[in-house]
Structure formats: C-alpha cells, structure tokens
Amino acid sequence: MAKKPLLSSAMRWHSRVGVALFWLLIALSLSGIALNHTDRLGLAKISLDHSLVRHWYGLAEPSEQPLTLHQRHYQLSAHRSGDTTVGTLVHGGQRVASCTPPIHSALELSNQLAAVLCAQELILLHRDGQLFDIWQPLTGLPTGLVALEKLDTQLIGRTGDGRLWLLDVEQFTATATTATTDPANEFVAVAADQASSVSLQTLLLDLHSGRLFGRAGIWVVDIAGVLFCLLALTGLWGFIRRPR
Amino acid sequence: MSRAVAPSTACRRHHWRRTLYQLLLAALLTASAQAEVYLTGEQFTQRYFPEQQPLAGQLWLTDELKAAAAPLLGRQPSGLRVRYQRSPDGQRTAWILNEIGKELPITIGVVIDNQQISAVEILAFRESRGWEVRFPAYTAQYRGAQLQQQQLSNHIDGITGATLSVRAVNAVAKLALFYAQQLEPI
C-alpha cells in the first residue's frame, strides 16, 4: 500500500483545523482590535444594562427603591470588571464613595451623620449628601459585619455569627460588646438599589479570554491558541515545501 | 507477582500526583486571596512609630482646603475629614489615604518627617493590574520628596503597564505633603 505523503496529510489537517477555528479566529481578532482601542472607543464607559447580560453575569436586577438617608436618595451602581465587582455609591448623579456590593445595612446615626455598611467598608455620610469618611477593615473595622444597629447614640455592628461590636466612628475603634439593642431605638436596614451593569470593555475582555463561558471557555481559547501555532507551523511548512 | 505490584504502584503515583496538584492549587488560591492587603493600618503604625504610641488627629477638609488640593489630585478630594497620626513631638505624621487607580481604590500609607516624605507603603491593592507600585524599589523613589509648586521635588520613574497606579501614588504623595503642611505645629 502506498504511503500517503506526510505533507499532504498535514495540509489536509491544516485546512480542517482552519475551517473549525474560522469563527473563533474572527471573534478573537475583532475583540482584540477593539480592546487595543479601548480608550479611543470609550469601551469602559459603555454600560450594558440588558437583563440578559446581567443574568449571564449573575448580577441583581435594579430595584425601584433607592437607599434613603436624611431624605436624600442614594444608589449603588455596580459593574463587573474582570473577576471583581466594582461598586460606587451615587447621590444625585455624583459619585460619593467606593462601596463593595452588596449594601448590608444603613441607618441615620445622628441628625448630621448616616452610616452605610457595604461588604468591605463602612461609609459615613454627612446629611448634605457628602462623604464624611470611610472605615475599612485594614484600619480597624471588624470583618464579617452584616448589620448595623443603634443603641441610644452609639453604633453597633453585628457580624454574621451574632457577635456585636461597639463602633466608635469618631476614633475608628471597635470594642466587643454584649449590649443588646432596643428594637424601638433601631433605625435600620433600608433596602439598597443594586443597579448593576457590565461595561462593554469587560464583556469584550471576557469574550477574548474565554472567561465569558467559564472555565470551559478558557480551555477552548487555550487550545485554540495552541492550534493557531500549529496552523502557523503547518502553513509555513506547506509554503516552503510547495511544488514549484 | 510483578503484575500484582504494577497497578498498586500506578495507583500510588496517581494519588501522589493528585495530592501535589491539590497542594499547588491550594497554594495558588491562598496566595491570590491574601494578595490584596499587604499591611494593615496597625502594622503600618507599629512600623513607623515603634517607640511611642502616636497621637491620632483629624484634619477637617473645608471647601477652601479642597479647592487648594484639587490641582494635586486633578479633582477635589472627597470626604469631610482626614485622619492622621502624629508623633508626640509633632515631627512625624502618617497618613493613610485611598485613591482610585483604574476602578478600585488603592490604600496608600505616607509617612512625612519635617515636610519631607520618609516612606510610602501600599497597604492594599485591589486592581488586577499595576500592583508593581508596592515594590520597595518603586516606593523608595519618594523618599525625601517635598512639595514644590504643587509638584514632587523628586523625579519618579513610572512603571510600564502600571501608569494609573503610578499616577494614584503620585497624587496621594502630593496630597499627604499638602495635608501635613496644613497642620498647626505642636
């Protein structure tokens, strides 16, 4: 039996792989070109608010009820950037502070100050809507807080496992306490808006890397990368060894 | 005899390989989970005030002060107060400030001795890129820097791929120097 020439067999596989990867190559090329011009095209500023995109990224649907403190309305604007969810507390269209979603709890601390407990920070707001200060775990905020409560004029933080912390927002110190709050004094937990979106840049980046389709997508793009190298090599081989 | 041994050896090898992969994966996950915070506020204080407990203070950001600080940041600083720590003799102050790199805040500690920067530390970095600004080789460039006509007196070499982080650290360094100038002498 005559042996098939290795080159013609390789070229046959070259064309099969090329056809199989056609759409993937087009998608990767176009997304790569767009990402190269992110700033010029303003891709980071284009927000994709479609419910399908939100569903795909597992983001909450926006709620109608904003966070209201001192008769001012605040919204949590959140979007995905890579593996991180970036959240911003917004008042009157203006950015107030970074707030890692979700908002666990919020209350009016006095007639001047309000406190908003985000996943990784406690935001203090002045009654005029301005940021007063931010308290983070690395500057002493107890970790794992999920609720704020008020005892007289003192702020109490409650962790997920039920521990209570007396939070001194003046000195940024926290002291473990067993004080129980009087429900009548509580002024707690206003539902927060979770207006979530994904920027076009994030979508294109996730498409380009395959992350959009989870771990399987990353493997597909990795394997495609190896196959592209093989295509280049077999193409070069075919060019060099072509009949003249 | 050898047939009986071979599968068990292969099985053991497979078991060890799987354990090794699991350990590697665990190490990678642990490293990535802990990569965000490099230094807590308490560790920062202990490092730069090793002998005496510093005095805590707060600087109120008035509208005038915010307007004066705006050229340093490219916008007005947010917040109505800034907390700082000061040595009892008033010579050294330490500031922990947040500034957004691309999308997430970088927490930066700046230590100032007699209106000159003596140390810059990245306490927490949350962005996916630009973390190279935390390396001592980079932060050492700020040592001795003063604020001169709203600019740092030291030339700071940038880092390729970390432009926004470098910009944030520069802005915070200038802002901390500006804030330190606003304090009344003890």
Side-chain angles (χ1 to χ4, degrees), chain B residues 61-81:
Chain B
L61 298 183
T62 60
D63 288 345
E64 295 76 30
L65 205 62
K66 283 186 178 189
L72 307 173
L73 270 185
R75 58 171 172 77
Q76 290 206 354
S78 57
L80 293 178
R81 74 169 180 191

Side-chain angles (χ1 to χ4, degrees), chain B residues 37-56:
Chain B
V37 174
Y38 305 118
L39 203 63
T40 65
E42 198 178 346
Q43 290 167 334
F44 177 69
T45 303
Q46 283 169 357
R47 182 174 294 181
Y48 292 102
F49 299 94
E51 288 165 8
Q52 286 173 302
Q53 185 66 22
L55 309 171

Side-chain angles (χ1 to χ4, degrees), chain A residues 95 98 136, chain B residues 72-78 96-108 124-127 164-173 175:
Chain A
R95 179 186 188 281
S98 295
Q136 297 168 311
Chain B
L72 307 173
L73 270 185
R75 58 171 172 77
Q76 290 206 354
S78 57
I96 296 177
L97 304 170
N98 286 299
E99 178 62 5
I100 290 179
K102 184 166 185 270
E103 289 191 292
L104 293 165
I106 307 169
T107 307
I108 304 163
F125 193 88
R126 301 169 182 86
E127 306 267 14
L164 296 176
S165 302
V166 167
R167 203 176 289 167
V169 181
N170 281 341
V172 163
L175 195 61

Side-chain angles (χ1 to χ4, degrees), chain A residues 79 81 95 133 138 169, chain B residues 41 58 66 81 83 100 103:
Chain A
H79 68 270
S81 176
R95 179 186 188 281
D133 209 342
L138 86 158
V169 296
Chain B
Q58 48 194 23
K66 283 186 178 189
R81 74 169 180 191
R83 295 167 47 75
I100 290 179
E103 289 191 292

